[in-house]
Amino acid sequence: MTPSPTPTRGRQHLHIQPISFRDAAAFIADYHRHMPPPVGWKFGIAVTSTDDHAIHGVVMVGRPVSRRLDDGWTLEVNRCCTDGTPHVASKLYAAAWRVAQNLGFRRMVTYTLANTTEHGASLRGAGWVEAGEFKGASWTSPSRPRDTKNVHDRIRWFVGTIEDAPKLLAYGDRVTNDPQQLLLTWED
C-alpha cells in the first residue's frame, strides 16, 4: 500500500517534466514580458502541478547567442518564463543545470535585464552567480539589418565550475582573468 501524500495546506506540488518545442514556445508567447520565443533549442523543461496538471513555467535551453561563449561546453538559458507561481523559476534554472551536466556540458549562462525588477533571486536560489553587466548593443549592419527593439543592458549569470569562471565573469564590458577579482566576485 502506498502512503498518502502529506497535506499541502494550500501549496501546490510542483514537478519537472519534458515539454515539446511547440508547447514551450506557445507558453512563452503567452506569458513572457518582453521577448518572443527563441527559434531553436537543445532542450526544454516545464514545471507542472500535480493538482491540475497545468504548466506553470518553462525553460528553453540552447547554444549561447554570443559566439565567444559557443565553445561546445557551454549552454545558455535562452528563455525562462513562469505564470507567477512561487519557486517555479528557481526550480527551472536548477533542473536545466542538472540536465546540462548530465549531457556533459560544463557551464551555463543566462541574462536578466539590468536596472529592472529582474533582480536574480531565482537564479541565486538555484546556485547561479552574477557575472557582470553588459551594455546592450545591436547586431545590425548595413548588409544585414536586424530588429533592434530588444536591445537592453543585461546582467550575465553563470553556473559551472570555478575553473570556467575566468571566461565568464566580467566587469563592465571587459572580462577579467585576475584570480583575486574572480574570487571576490565568486564569493559575493
Side-chain angles (χ1 to χ4, degrees):
M1 176 157 62
T2 58
S4 62
T6 306
T8 61
R9 293 194 177 113
R11 289 180 33 209
Q12 298 180 12
H13 280 114
L14 301 173
H15 68 276
I16 301 292
Q17 72 177 48
I19 189 168
S20 70
F21 180 86
R22 181 184 307 176
D23 290 343
F27 187 90
I28 287 170
D30 288 344
Y31 288 97
H32 204 281
R33 289 178 287 183
H34 58 87
M35 294 292 287
V39 295
W41 74 348
K42 292 281 189 187
F43 65 88
I45 301 170
V47 169
T48 61
S49 79
T50 54
D51 303 336
D52 59 7
H53 304 289
I55 296 173
H56 294 288
V58 300
V59 68
M60 296 180 82
V61 178
R63 291 173 47 202
V65 174
S66 168
R67 289 182 298 180
R68 197 179 92 216
L69 298 178
D70 192 8
D71 59 4
W73 297 104
T74 306
L75 287 178
E76 179 175 329
V77 172
N78 301 117
R79 298 291 183 281
C80 181
C81 180
T82 76
D83 64 2
T85 302
H87 311 297
V88 170
S90 290
K91 197 170 190 72
L92 287 165
Y93 282 120
W97 175 230
R98 285 192 306 271
V99 170
Q101 286 179 297
N102 286 331
L103 291 172
F105 290 93
R106 294 176 48 187
R107 59 196 154 263
M108 288 184 82
V109 296
T110 195
Y111 299 88
T112 57
L113 295 179
N115 305 318
T116 68
T117 58
E118 295 183 359
H119 46 78
S122 296
L123 287 155
R124 279 191 290 279
W128 292 60
V129 175
E130 186 176 330
E133 187 170 333
F134 295 83
K135 297 290 179 196
S138 170
W139 292 26
T140 194
S141 68
S143 63
R144 191 168 178 185
R146 296 187 172 108
D147 179 12
T148 60
K149 67 181 177 190
N150 287 316
V151 175
H152 305 285
D153 293 349
R154 300 169 298 150
I155 297 171
R156 180 184 291 158
W157 295 83
F158 158 79
V159 67
T161 61
I162 189 69
E163 292 81 24
D164 297 322
K167 182 174 186 174
L168 301 169
L169 295 176
Y171 292 86
D173 287 330
R174 71 179 173 83
V175 174
T176 181
N177 286 317
D178 179 350
Q180 186 61 34
Q181 285 183 333
L182 292 174
L183 185 58
L184 291 173
T185 302
W186 192 261
E187 292 174 345
D188 285 347

